[in-house]
Amino acid sequence: MVESPVSEFDLVALLAARARLRPDVLLGIGDDAALLQPRDGMQLAVATDMLNADVHFPADAAPADIGWKALAVNLSDLAAMGATPAWCTLALALPCADVPWLTQFIDGFFELADAHDVALIGGDTTRGPLSVCVGVHGFVEARTALRRAGAMPGDAIWVSGSLGDAAAALYLRESPAADTPPRLLHALHARLARPTPRLSLGHALRGVASACIDVSDGLLADLGHLCAASGVGALVELAALPTSEALTAAFGSQHRWQLQTLGDDYELCFSAPAEATGQLCDIARQTGVTLSRIGWIVSGAGVRATDTLGQPWTPARTGYVHFDDD
Ligand code: ADP
Ligand code: MG
């Protein structure tokens, strides 16, 4: 029996069948463009991130994880702005019309989309080296969005959750250690494969944080972007970086700071005036996300990280930069 070929339209139909609508989607997938109804008094926050096979994820990664992560990294950008996501687009380049692959991709993508009531409203589907480009649109009340600019000397620097698990999972994939218990491997890998966008935290930080960024390229690199935008410098105490039990159990203190500054964490790093500490404790309780104070904003420029003895520490690499080796 000859199987009938699967067309681009069949693939889009699979996506459209799973796309959930929202009242503010007047016209979704299926026309030349979507029609959307923004809410009165709200500003639109818009972000796009592209994930390419063998650059951002191994081509043979679980398709459901690729789907989850492609959306998660975009939602993380909205979280860093304090915005609430509403709509997304999906541009997919696929080497072939692989329905089982797309079906699993859809499962991971919509598991996260449905959890945050995000509607897929359009996209594009082409043949090409595996690449996933998601765009997200969210709402934020006028003049309340968090920005990279706004940090003031004397502000405390905070980071959510824990740092380093995703980098540790990557490290162990490249240099497997035979004695790492599967339970730990699994916990670290989960943080790499399925990052949690800190949306409720970002929303709660509006009016409290003075500046905010999500940690994608590496803590020191991303904090550097926040400092550059704010026209300030930062002091980071590495011993204060939040560390998961899995990272401690798998690595002890070995490579710890290196792993914790490599990126792919999708935690929020933000500054806040010292008086906001009480409010931040409440926010941590309400959102169920731990917050750790890791340093201070200072006048000047640049990020200085110090070890337990107060000596300067420089990572081997400050963060991921594309085209850096050209
Ligand atoms: P056009 O030729 O006008 O660009 P397409 O055939 O590319 O139309 O797309 C038809 C419809 O399917 C559009 O609504 C488009 O947004 C949607 N679509 C195509 N690919 C995707 C995708 N990967 N995810 C979501 N919607 C998609
Ligand atoms: Mg098209």
Side-chain angles (χ1 to χ4, degrees):
M1 196 179 91
V2 181
E3 280 188 40
S4 57
V6 176
S7 77
E8 167 195 340
F9 304 106
D10 299 324
L11 298 179
V12 175
L14 285 178
L15 284 155
R18 273 294 291 275
R20 249 210 233 162
L21 290 185
R22 300 167 34 115
D24 53 12
V25 178
L26 309 179
L27 188 60
I29 294 171
D31 214 305
D32 291 315
L35 289 174
L36 308 165
Q37 184 61 62
R39 263 185 271 162
D40 284 347
M42 299 295 249
Q43 293 175 339
L44 262 185
V46 179
T48 300
D49 257 332
M50 181 188 284
L51 268 63
N52 292 325
D54 296 329
V55 178
H56 301 95
F57 60 87
D60 62 355
D65 290 344
I66 299 171
W68 173 289
K69 187 162 181 175
L71 181 58
V73 301
N74 278 278
L75 296 182
S76 177
D77 283 323
L78 291 188
M81 301 296 291
T84 301
W87 312 313
C88 68
T89 56
L90 170 64
L92 265 180
L94 302 173
C96 62
D98 182 341
V99 170
W101 189 94
L102 186 63
T103 304
Q104 291 170 53
F105 174 93
I106 284 173
D107 283 343
F109 186 91
F110 284 100
E111 188 179 338
L112 185 60
D114 292 350
H116 294 285
D117 193 22
V118 179
L120 177 68
I121 50 98
D124 202 17
T125 308
T126 62
R127 186 193 293 274
L130 180 58
S131 172
V132 185
C133 183
V134 173
V136 286
H137 300 71
F139 294 118
V140 59
E141 283 88 355
R143 289 174 294 278
T144 68
L146 301 169
R147 300 181 185 208
R148 296 179 179 185
M152 301 289 284
D155 285 354
I157 303 168
W158 297 81
V159 72
S160 64
S162 68
L163 298 170
D165 287 10
L170 260 183
Y171 177 92
L172 288 172
R173 194 163 67 209
E174 279 151 27
S175 332
D179 54 349
T180 314
R183 176 181 62 83
L184 296 181
L185 278 179
H186 182 80
L188 297 172
H189 178 75
R191 296 283 316 273
L192 175 68
R194 293 199 172 209
T196 306
R198 301 295 191 188
L199 284 158
S200 50
L201 174 63
H203 192 256
L205 288 176
R206 292 167 316 125
V208 181
S210 51
C212 185
I213 191 166
D214 71 320
V215 182
S216 53
D217 295 336
L219 175 72
L220 302 180
D222 289 317
L223 180 55
H225 299 320
L226 182 152
C227 286
S230 297
V232 295
L235 281 179
V236 172
E237 295 157 18
L238 293 162
L241 300 187
T243 311
S244 72
E245 281 174 30
L247 188 67
T248 306
F251 285 88
S253 57
Q254 203 197 5
H255 309 305
R256 193 184 122 189
W257 295 338
Q258 207 57 253
L259 295 169
Q260 292 186 298
T261 51
L262 272 179
D264 239 1
D265 302 293
Y266 302 101
E267 296 293 354
L268 296 185
C269 176
F270 59 94
S271 56
E275 312 84 79
T277 304
Q279 257 174 304
L280 290 171
C281 290
D282 293 343
I283 288 171
R285 230 184 348 263
Q286 284 154 16
T287 57
V289 180
T290 55
L291 299 178
S292 306
R293 194 184 60 72
I294 60 163
W296 299 98
I297 297 291
V298 295
S299 54
V303 178
R304 268 170 299 155
T306 55
D307 64 17
T308 36
L309 300 172
Q311 297 299 310
W313 180 87
T314 321
R317 213 176 72 187
T318 41
Y320 195 84
V321 181
H322 293 271
F323 307 117
D324 210 20
D325 52 357
D326 284 358

